[in-house]
């Protein structure tokens, strides 16, 4: 058990039988009345985000979440197989847990998986990944009706928007949180 004074970003709380990860928190001490902690939390399993306020000093239950480094090996049907980089054990993670991370995962890529009592909760990718553009239409100089971007398919099959000058086979840096093009990789 912990108190609301121990809340930090990334803390996982056990509330009403669900696990909630703290995204933002703010300790507030108004001039009148007691202090309180305002939080924004994300449900670890469903992804729902809520705002919740706790009185200062209130006892809360924290969950023990183990974040470990894994290497993505391959897709097995609807599931994904990862290997623990410390002891080489393999785990199978359902597609629902992997979520949108599948758009930016390549075989042999390192990821972080959060585990609670041996069950995978979510997959964390690095903030940026390097991908190769596998298909894109040739850009026409002077065609600026779309703001200077065109669709391009990267090697995972995900489609991103890239500048008109990019060609097929170009290595690009992509933001894994938003799917935005961040730049070309110089060879």
């Amino acid at each position: 058990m912990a108190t609301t004074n121990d809340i930090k970003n990334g803390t996982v709380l056990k509330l009403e039988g669900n696990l909630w990860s703290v995204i933002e928190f703010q300790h507030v001490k108004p001039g009148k009345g007691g202090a309180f902690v305002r939080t924004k939390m994300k449900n670890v399993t469903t992804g729902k985000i809520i705002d919740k306020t706790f009185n200062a000093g209130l006892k809360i239950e924290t969950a023990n979440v183990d974040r470990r480094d894994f290497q993505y090996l391959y897709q097995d049907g609807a599931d994904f197989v990862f290997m623990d980089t410390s002891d080489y054990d393999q785990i199978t993670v359902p597609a629902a847990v992997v979520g949108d991370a599948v758009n930016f995962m390549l075989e042999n890529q390192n990821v972080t998986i959060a585990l609670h009592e041996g069950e995978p909760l979510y997959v964390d990718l690095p903030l940026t990944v390097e991908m190769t553009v596998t298909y894109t239409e040739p850009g026409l100089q002077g065609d600026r009706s779309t703001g200077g971007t065109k669709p391009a398919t990267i090697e995972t099959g995900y489609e991103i928007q890239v500048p008109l000058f990019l060609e097929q086979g170009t290595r690009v840096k992509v933001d894994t949180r938003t799917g935005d093009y961040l730049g070309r990789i110089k060879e």
Side-chain angles (χ1 to χ4, degrees):
M1 290 294 259
T3 67
T4 53
N5 299 331
D6 300 323
I7 292 178
K8 303 278 183 271
N9 287 346
T11 303
V12 178
L13 306 177
K14 211 181 237 184
L15 298 171
E16 300 152 11
N18 291 319
L19 296 177
W20 298 86
S21 178
V22 176
I23 301 170
E24 295 175 15
F25 74 99
Q26 181 181 19
H27 290 277
V28 180
K29 186 162 179 12
K32 251 184 177 165
F36 58 91
V37 180
R38 188 178 294 137
T39 63
K40 182 181 276 188
M41 300 187 300
K42 178 180 180 182
N43 188 313
V44 173
T45 51
T46 65
K48 180 180 177 184
I49 295 177
I50 64 165
D51 293 322
K52 188 154 177 76
T53 303
F54 299 96
N55 290 331
L58 184 73
K59 297 264 187 224
I60 53 173
E61 188 176 357
T62 58
N64 186 17
V65 175
D66 185 20
R67 294 172 52 86
R68 297 201 313 233
D69 291 329
F70 285 82
Q71 184 178 31
Y72 170 54
L73 297 180
Y74 58 91
Q75 186 171 356
D76 182 20
D79 297 332
F80 296 85
V81 179
F82 294 87
M83 178 183 66
D84 191 329
T85 56
S86 60
D87 60 10
Y88 306 109
D89 282 345
Q90 292 185 7
I91 65 167
T92 301
V93 179
V97 173
V98 174
D100 290 340
V102 71
N103 297 328
F104 307 105
M105 281 190 332
L106 293 174
E107 291 183 0
N108 302 321
Q109 181 179 356
N110 290 331
V111 299
T112 302
I113 299 179
L115 301 165
H116 174 65
E117 297 173 356
E119 288 295 313
L121 299 175
Y122 56 88
V123 175
D124 264 349
L125 293 174
L127 292 178
T128 63
V129 291
E130 294 180 9
M131 295 279 172
T132 303
V133 174
T134 57
Y135 177 77
T136 187
E137 295 286 333
L140 299 174
Q141 191 61 30
D143 178 17
R144 296 281 187 256
S145 64
T146 59
T149 63
K150 62 182 179 180
T153 305
I154 55 177
E155 54 195 306
T156 59
Y158 188 69
E159 193 172 276
I160 63 172
Q161 290 293 319
V162 299
L164 290 172
F165 61 82
L166 280 186
E167 298 171 356
Q168 201 164 306
T170 306
R171 299 274 300 160
V172 294
K173 187 182 279 193
V174 181
D175 187 327
T176 58
R177 297 165 297 177
T178 61
D180 291 342
Y181 163 84
L182 296 176
R184 250 187 321 190
I185 305 296
K186 304 275 191 261
E187 298 296 327

